[in-house]
Amino acid sequence: MPTPTFSARFRCADGCDFHAPLTEVVYRCARCGGLLEVEHDLDALKQRPAEAWKALFEARFRGGAWPLGSGVWGKKEWVYPQLAEENVVSMYEGGSPLLRLDRYAAELGLDDVWLKECGVTHTGSFKDLGMTVLVSAVKEMRARGKAIRAVACASTGDTSAALAAYCAAAGIPSVVLLPRGKVSTAQLVQPIANGALVLELDTDFDGCMKVVQELSQTPDIYLANSMNSLRIEGQKTLSLELAQQLGWRSPDWIVIPGGNLGNASAVGKGFAMMKELGLVERLPRLVVAQAEHANPLYLAVTAAGRKPGPEVEVVPVQARKTLASAIQIGAPVSAKRALRALAALDGLVEQASEQELADAAARADRAGAFACPHTGVALAVLEKLAARGTIRRGERVVVISTAHGLKFSEFKVGYHEGTLEGVAPRLANRSVRVAPTLAGVEDAIAARFGRG
Ligand SMILES: *Cc1c(COP(=O)(O)O)cnc(C)c1O
Ligand SMILES: [Zn+2]
């Protein structure tokens, strides 16, 4: 049988009859102004049986054949099939660990809890998964003669780090708009090191987003925010990857922190596609976890008093300062996409306070993790759902860890030193200053663990 021709294009996510090629600079539907999504030729993909797809993905996974050893590009036919291989800009993203957290699970009365460590990757967050696709698409457009002077994004920190790194690798100019004083030191230094034009604006993320949307009207500035559905295609591979790591089985639950809500949509899309193409038998249930200080989705779903779905109207809120700075977003651009994913995956929305997210991250760390504050939000929500009996022993849960804890060392140090605003740390571990003598060290050991 000849290899089928795989293809994908943009279409209106709200169902208008609007399509555009992936090489066109277009972010919204020309008919209704709604967001776009990438539509794959599923009939072509179905010509290859599920077992053959699984074998192909496994053979490529973390292997050496550039760029197919990348977690994203190993699934290229499902992501951006027509992209010329020479235009792929890859930093070997994806292929991230799936950890079992047995000691943490036991504390919660559960027995099958896993952490998908999307932060163990080139720039330290899952944003790499989407950015490799977007920057590759830009490289392809430029190769075809499209005038793109620079790629720009507004960011709560991690998007700009990823954009700057991939653009540097490709030799494409990048511009990042950051809310001044609202990103971590590591997040600020990454785009600086990678040579981006780093602009610090005296506003919050929503304020930066507004400006960058206006900027994107400039025809030769390409917009890299997650309203750009190319990024969703790359992030979607995290679902494929974690199902693969579990032997092509869906977990019972996925818990994911949500800010702009692109990643929750991406995870939903990945599972929907795998189910449709027969790679998994059933869908997991999806839990979107929000910080109480930036909770427009939680408020909307609670006010509607119904299961989350596209009928729920999300009203923008003024996001308050939260330790989970990457999700301090009051007007999530992908709210509707996420609500569709929540409806398809029988989902729930919960929230976590500053105290809860900080303690949950520390609790997981005590069992060997090193959770960033956003992962802390997801863990805190898992703890609530376990306490409530919604998630039970015998059910398999995967928590999506969105960034590496090392990007948020201020959060970690502040927790253990007891200096975080609004947090009384329950699991603080203070370092102990001792005299430089054997007796000093022995006394400290005895004080913590008792005499031998
Ligand atoms: C971007 C980001 C999120 C939120 O993802 P959305 O797609 O905006 O919902 C969560 N955690 C971290 C660390 C992030 O960088
Ligand atoms: Zn439309």
PDB file of all heavy atoms in Angstrom, residues 398-411:
ATOM      1  N   VAL A 398      -2.531  11.182  36.590  1.00  0.00           N
ATOM      2  CA  VAL A 398      -1.304  11.832  36.112  1.00  0.00           C
ATOM      3  C   VAL A 398      -1.442  13.333  36.336  1.00  0.00           C
ATOM      4  O   VAL A 398      -2.380  13.957  35.835  1.00  0.00           O
ATOM      5  CB  VAL A 398      -1.028  11.537  34.622  1.00  0.00           C
ATOM      6  CG1 VAL A 398       0.200  12.316  34.149  1.00  0.00           C
ATOM      7  CG2 VAL A 398      -0.822  10.046  34.387  1.00  0.00           C
ATOM      8  N   VAL A 399      -0.521  13.884  37.117  1.00  0.00           N
ATOM      9  CA  VAL A 399      -0.465  15.336  37.325  1.00  0.00           C
ATOM     10  C   VAL A 399       0.537  15.898  36.328  1.00  0.00           C
ATOM     11  O   VAL A 399       1.652  15.385  36.193  1.00  0.00           O
ATOM     12  CB  VAL A 399      -0.028  15.663  38.775  1.00  0.00           C
ATOM     13  CG1 VAL A 399       0.176  17.162  38.949  1.00  0.00           C
ATOM     14  CG2 VAL A 399      -1.045  15.123  39.774  1.00  0.00           C
ATOM     15  N   ILE A 400       0.112  16.932  35.597  1.00  0.00           N
ATOM     16  CA  ILE A 400       1.022  17.546  34.634  1.00  0.00           C
ATOM     17  C   ILE A 400       1.865  18.594  35.356  1.00  0.00           C
ATOM     18  O   ILE A 400       1.355  19.605  35.834  1.00  0.00           O
ATOM     19  CB  ILE A 400       0.250  18.230  33.474  1.00  0.00           C
ATOM     20  CG1 ILE A 400      -0.752  17.254  32.818  1.00  0.00           C
ATOM     21  CG2 ILE A 400       1.226  18.805  32.449  1.00  0.00           C
ATOM     22  CD1 ILE A 400      -0.134  16.044  32.162  1.00  0.00           C
ATOM     23  N   SER A 401       3.169  18.319  35.439  1.00  0.00           N
ATOM     24  CA  SER A 401       4.104  19.296  35.986  1.00  0.00           C
ATOM     25  C   SER A 401       4.542  20.180  34.835  1.00  0.00           C
ATOM     26  O   SER A 401       5.110  19.702  33.851  1.00  0.00           O
ATOM     27  CB  SER A 401       5.300  18.576  36.612  1.00  0.00           C
ATOM     28  OG  SER A 401       6.264  19.539  36.990  1.00  0.00           O
ATOM     29  N   THR A 402       4.266  21.489  34.950  1.00  0.00           N
ATOM     30  CA  THR A 402       4.410  22.352  33.775  1.00  0.00           C
ATOM     31  C   THR A 402       5.783  22.998  33.639  1.00  0.00           C
ATOM     32  O   THR A 402       6.160  23.428  32.556  1.00  0.00           O
ATOM     33  CB  THR A 402       3.329  23.445  33.795  1.00  0.00           C
ATOM     34  OG1 THR A 402       3.276  24.010  35.111  1.00  0.00           O
ATOM     35  CG2 THR A 402       1.978  22.867  33.436  1.00  0.00           C
ATOM     36  N   ALA A 403       6.512  23.128  34.759  1.00  0.00           N
ATOM     37  CA  ALA A 403       7.837  23.751  34.676  1.00  0.00           C
ATOM     38  C   ALA A 403       8.782  23.101  35.669  1.00  0.00           C
ATOM     39  O   ALA A 403       8.357  22.442  36.614  1.00  0.00           O
ATOM     40  CB  ALA A 403       7.755  25.253  34.962  1.00  0.00           C
ATOM     41  N   HIS A 404      10.054  23.316  35.455  1.00  0.00           N
ATOM     42  CA  HIS A 404      11.074  22.811  36.367  1.00  0.00           C
ATOM     43  C   HIS A 404      11.089  23.678  37.629  1.00  0.00           C
ATOM     44  O   HIS A 404      11.087  24.907  37.529  1.00  0.00           O
ATOM     45  CB  HIS A 404      12.441  22.865  35.684  1.00  0.00           C
ATOM     46  CG  HIS A 404      13.428  21.905  36.276  1.00  0.00           C
ATOM     47  ND1 HIS A 404      13.822  21.977  37.592  1.00  0.00           N
ATOM     48  CD2 HIS A 404      14.053  20.825  35.757  1.00  0.00           C
ATOM     49  CE1 HIS A 404      14.672  20.997  37.845  1.00  0.00           C
ATOM     50  NE2 HIS A 404      14.830  20.279  36.740  1.00  0.00           N
ATOM     51  N   GLY A 405      11.136  23.050  38.772  1.00  0.00           N
ATOM     52  CA  GLY A 405      11.159  23.790  40.035  1.00  0.00           C
ATOM     53  C   GLY A 405      12.338  24.758  40.147  1.00  0.00           C
ATOM     54  O   GLY A 405      12.247  25.789  40.810  1.00  0.00           O
ATOM     55  N   LEU A 406      13.433  24.441  39.464  1.00  0.00           N
ATOM     56  CA  LEU A 406      14.621  25.306  39.560  1.00  0.00           C
ATOM     57  C   LEU A 406      14.388  26.681  38.945  1.00  0.00           C
ATOM     58  O   LEU A 406      15.136  27.616  39.218  1.00  0.00           O
ATOM     59  CB  LEU A 406      15.826  24.632  38.882  1.00  0.00           C
ATOM     60  CG  LEU A 406      16.436  23.454  39.639  1.00  0.00           C
ATOM     61  CD1 LEU A 406      17.524  22.790  38.803  1.00  0.00           C
ATOM     62  CD2 LEU A 406      17.007  23.906  40.982  1.00  0.00           C
ATOM     63  N   LYS A 407      13.368  26.821  38.100  1.00  0.00           N
ATOM     64  CA  LYS A 407      13.063  28.151  37.553  1.00  0.00           C
ATOM     65  C   LYS A 407      12.409  29.041  38.603  1.00  0.00           C
ATOM     66  O   LYS A 407      12.264  30.233  38.390  1.00  0.00           O
ATOM     67  CB  LYS A 407      12.118  28.046  36.346  1.00  0.00           C
ATOM     68  CG  LYS A 407      12.743  27.395  35.131  1.00  0.00           C
ATOM     69  CD  LYS A 407      11.825  27.465  33.924  1.00  0.00           C
ATOM     70  CE  LYS A 407      12.036  28.745  33.142  1.00  0.00           C
ATOM     71  NZ  LYS A 407      11.388  28.682  31.807  1.00  0.00           N
ATOM     72  N   PHE A 408      11.980  28.440  39.702  1.00  0.00           N
ATOM     73  CA  PHE A 408      11.229  29.177  40.722  1.00  0.00           C
ATOM     74  C   PHE A 408      11.910  29.050  42.079  1.00  0.00           C
ATOM     75  O   PHE A 408      11.277  28.764  43.090  1.00  0.00           O
ATOM     76  CB  PHE A 408       9.767  28.691  40.754  1.00  0.00           C
ATOM     77  CG  PHE A 408       9.086  28.913  39.429  1.00  0.00           C
ATOM     78  CD1 PHE A 408       9.111  27.941  38.445  1.00  0.00           C
ATOM     79  CD2 PHE A 408       8.483  30.142  39.153  1.00  0.00           C
ATOM     80  CE1 PHE A 408       8.533  28.166  37.196  1.00  0.00           C
ATOM     81  CE2 PHE A 408       7.902  30.376  37.912  1.00  0.00           C
ATOM     82  CZ  PHE A 408       7.920  29.388  36.931  1.00  0.00           C
ATOM     83  N   SER A 409      13.235  29.261  42.087  1.00  0.00           N
ATOM     84  CA  SER A 409      13.986  29.084  43.337  1.00  0.00           C
ATOM     85  C   SER A 409      13.566  30.114  44.389  1.00  0.00           C
ATOM     86  O   SER A 409      13.613  29.823  45.583  1.00  0.00           O
ATOM     87  CB  SER A 409      15.491  29.144  43.061  1.00  0.00           C
ATOM     88  OG  SER A 409      15.782  30.291  42.304  1.00  0.00           O
ATOM     89  N   GLU A 410      13.110  31.306  43.971  1.00  0.00           N
ATOM     90  CA  GLU A 410      12.645  32.298  44.957  1.00  0.00           C
ATOM     91  C   GLU A 410      11.459  31.733  45.757  1.00  0.00           C
ATOM     92  O   GLU A 410      11.355  31.928  46.962  1.00  0.00           O
ATOM     93  CB  GLU A 410      12.191  33.595  44.265  1.00  0.00           C
ATOM     94  CG  GLU A 410      13.312  34.369  43.567  1.00  0.00           C
ATOM     95  CD  GLU A 410      13.355  34.173  42.064  1.00  0.00           C
ATOM     96  OE1 GLU A 410      12.948  33.076  41.574  1.00  0.00           O
ATOM     97  OE2 GLU A 410      13.800  35.091  41.355  1.00  0.00           O
ATOM     98  N   PHE A 411      10.594  31.031  45.063  1.00  0.00           N
ATOM     99  CA  PHE A 411       9.429  30.392  45.703  1.00  0.00           C
ATOM    100  C   PHE A 411       9.884  29.330  46.698  1.00  0.00           C
ATOM    101  O   PHE A 411       9.405  29.271  47.840  1.00  0.00           O
ATOM    102  CB  PHE A 411       8.549  29.788  44.602  1.00  0.00           C
ATOM    103  CG  PHE A 411       7.533  28.770  45.052  1.00  0.00           C
ATOM    104  CD1 PHE A 411       6.435  29.148  45.817  1.00  0.00           C
ATOM    105  CD2 PHE A 411       7.656  27.431  44.685  1.00  0.00           C
ATOM    106  CE1 PHE A 411       5.482  28.204  46.212  1.00  0.00           C
ATOM    107  CE2 PHE A 411       6.712  26.489  45.070  1.00  0.00           C
ATOM    108  CZ  PHE A 411       5.630  26.871  45.836  1.00  0.00           C
TER     109      PHE A 411
END
